[in-house]
């Protein structure tokens, strides 16, 4: 605790807080055990402060975090307070990964983990933790999605119990489910494409552009920043550069097409036929971006109609 005397300009530091700042240390005033028993959220906040500032926790704090009484007190807090601390940490670059690591190292995560429906917290190994730490992305849903993706092969299925247990907003759980799918598709692309191949096959190109279209439709003008922030394994520079180039310069979403759904009514299409035709045109443009002009698209419409038949 620090204070500044505005009249004299003297820094008031009764508890050697400046020394702690200089040492990069998180320390409680007095007994950490007593402070944590006063407010069960303080152990979680200690993890957040350590994550956000990159400071180490004092041995007295680390010992108190294993104290059964402290853990019982922390288990009594409203889960919304725990979720709020996650939100604060996950908004700061790299702090989300450090927060997760602190919760895992101290085993505080087991207090809030919905073990009744998901079993014991499985934990991230060293390699997975390094991948999480390399993510430059921020935002609650993005960090949560990658955390769950690294924990579970079928991560999408665990979002609902997590959301119920941690009282997450519906839009947050939906965004998390979407992002897990994005990470899963990325893994499939990395495993199935040949990064050093000069010209990807039509099938690979469609898969890549479908993935990029999902990202663009969700993030709009921030799609490039998201693509840059996510983890890419070594040896995939060619694929990463291709994705960035395509995202920046080629039509990907149906909204990018130089034709509107209402115009397709002139070709006798109605209802679901219009949506199917637009998706057909989208795939054609993925393979041939130069076709994305009204005249060329008009020529493709009859072909798409025949494909529907």
């Amino acid at each position: 605790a620090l204070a500044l005397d505005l009249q004299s300009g003297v820094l008031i530091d009764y508890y050697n807080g400046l020394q702690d700042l200089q040492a990069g240390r998180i320390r409680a005033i007095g007994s950490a055990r007593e402070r944590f028993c006063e407010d069960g959220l303080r152990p979680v906040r200690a993890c957040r402060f350590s994550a956000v500032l990159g400071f180490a926790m004092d041995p007295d704090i680390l010992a108190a975090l294993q104290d059964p009484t402290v853990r019982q007190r922390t288990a009594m807090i409203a889960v919304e307070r725990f979720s709020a601390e996650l939100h604060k940490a996950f908004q700061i670059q790299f702090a989300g990964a450090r927060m997760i690591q602190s919760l895992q190292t101290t085993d505080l995560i087991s207090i809030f983990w919905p073990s009744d429906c998901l079993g014991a917290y499985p934990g991230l190994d060293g390699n997975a933790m390094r991948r999480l730490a390399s993510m430059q992305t921020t935002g609650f849903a993005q960090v949560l999605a990658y955390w769950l993706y690294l924990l579970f092969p079928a991560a999408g299925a665990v979002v609902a119990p997590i959301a119920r247990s941690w009282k997450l907003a519906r839009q947050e759980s939906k965004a998390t489910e979407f992002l897990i799918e994005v990470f899963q598709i990325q893994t499939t692309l990395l495993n199935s494409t040949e990064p050093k191949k000069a010209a990807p096959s039509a099938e690979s190109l469609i898969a890549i552009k479908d993935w990029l279209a999902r990202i663009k439709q969700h993030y709009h003008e921030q799609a490039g920043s998201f693509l840059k922030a996510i983890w890419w394994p070594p040896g995939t520079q060619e694929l990463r550069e291709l994705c960035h180039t395509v995202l920046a310069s080629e039509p990907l979403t149906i909204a990018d097409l130089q034709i509107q759904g209402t115009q397709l009514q002139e070709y006798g299409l109605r209802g679901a036929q219009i949506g199917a035709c637009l998706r057909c045109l989208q795939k054609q443009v993925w393979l041939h971006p130069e076709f994305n002009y009204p005249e060329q698209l008009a020529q493709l419409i009859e072909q798409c109609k025949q494909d529907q038949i």
Side-chain angles (χ1 to χ4, degrees), residues 29-146:
I29 295 176
S31 165
R33 183 182 183 279
E34 291 180 8
R35 299 291 82 76
F36 290 169
C37 286
E38 291 170 352
D39 183 351
L41 183 66
R42 287 176 179 169
V44 183
R45 295 186 70 200
C47 290
R48 177 169 66 85
F49 291 154
S50 175
V52 170
L53 299 173
F55 285 8
M57 286 186 274
D58 187 76
D60 185 43
I61 285 182
L62 293 174
L65 293 178
Q66 302 305 316
D67 186 282
T69 303
V70 169
R71 296 178 67 84
Q72 289 172 9
R73 181 68 181 87
T74 297
M76 293 170 61
I77 68 170
V79 72
E80 291 90 343
R81 299 181 73 195
F82 168 73
S83 298
E85 294 299 310
L86 292 184
H87 277 81
K88 293 173 184 177
F90 289 5
Q91 297 299 328
I92 300 173
Q93 194 174 59
F94 303 120
R98 290 195 292 260
M99 176 75 166
I100 292 167
Q101 186 169 23
S102 290
L103 291 173
Q104 180 172 303
T105 302
T106 61
D107 197 36
L108 283 178
I109 186 61
S110 66
I111 295 176
F112 302 97
W113 188 255
S115 56
D116 55 335
C117 53
L118 294 181
Y121 175 70
L124 295 177
D125 61 22
N127 181 56
M129 191 64 75
R130 284 188 292 272
R131 286 177 61 178
L132 182 64
S134 70
M135 286 275 288
Q136 299 179 42
T137 187
T138 59
F140 180 77
Q142 293 181 22
V143 177
L144 177 61
Y146 202 57

Side-chain angles (χ1 to χ4, degrees), residues 92-271:
I92 300 173
Q93 194 174 59
F94 303 120
R98 290 195 292 260
M99 176 75 166
I100 292 167
Q101 186 169 23
S102 290
L103 291 173
Q104 180 172 303
T105 302
T106 61
D107 197 36
L108 283 178
I109 186 61
S110 66
I111 295 176
F112 302 97
W113 188 255
S115 56
D116 55 335
C117 53
L118 294 181
Y121 175 70
L124 295 177
D125 61 22
N127 181 56
M129 191 64 75
R130 284 188 292 272
R131 286 177 61 178
L132 182 64
S134 70
M135 286 275 288
Q136 299 179 42
T137 187
T138 59
F140 180 77
Q142 293 181 22
V143 177
L144 177 61
Y146 202 57
W147 181 17
L148 297 179
Y149 164 74
L150 291 172
L151 282 172
F152 297 99
V158 307
V159 175
I162 289 286
R164 286 194 300 269
S165 179
W166 293 355
K167 306 293 180 64
L168 304 183
R170 188 172 185 273
Q171 61 267 29
E172 289 175 333
S173 61
K174 289 295 183 183
T176 302
E177 289 174 344
F178 166 78
L179 287 163
I180 288 172
E181 185 177 3
V182 165
F183 295 135
Q184 290 171 335
I185 294 173
Q186 182 198 24
T187 298
T188 301
L189 291 175
L190 290 170
N191 291 335
S192 61
T193 57
E194 302 176 45
K196 295 183 180 180
K197 191 174 180 179
S201 66
E203 183 179 359
S204 294
L205 199 59
I206 287 176
I208 291 169
K209 292 189 177 183
D210 180 59
W211 180 63
L212 293 173
R214 292 167 184 250
I215 294 173
K216 183 175 182 179
Q217 190 168 355
H218 186 81
Y219 283 104
H220 305 289
E221 66 275 5
Q222 299 299 320
S225 298
F226 173 78
L227 196 64
K228 185 182 297 184
I230 62 177
W231 180 81
W232 293 83
T236 60
Q237 182 177 355
E238 292 85 355
L239 178 60
R240 182 177 183 176
E241 290 177 354
L242 173 64
C243 290
H244 279 284
T245 300
V246 168
L247 182 64
S249 62
E250 295 188 14
L252 292 169
T253 67
I254 288 177
D256 292 332
L257 296 176
Q258 293 298 306
I259 193 169
Q260 296 180 358
T262 54
Q263 295 174 267
L264 297 183
Q265 295 179 5
E266 301 172 8
Y267 295 86
L269 297 176
R270 297 291 184 272

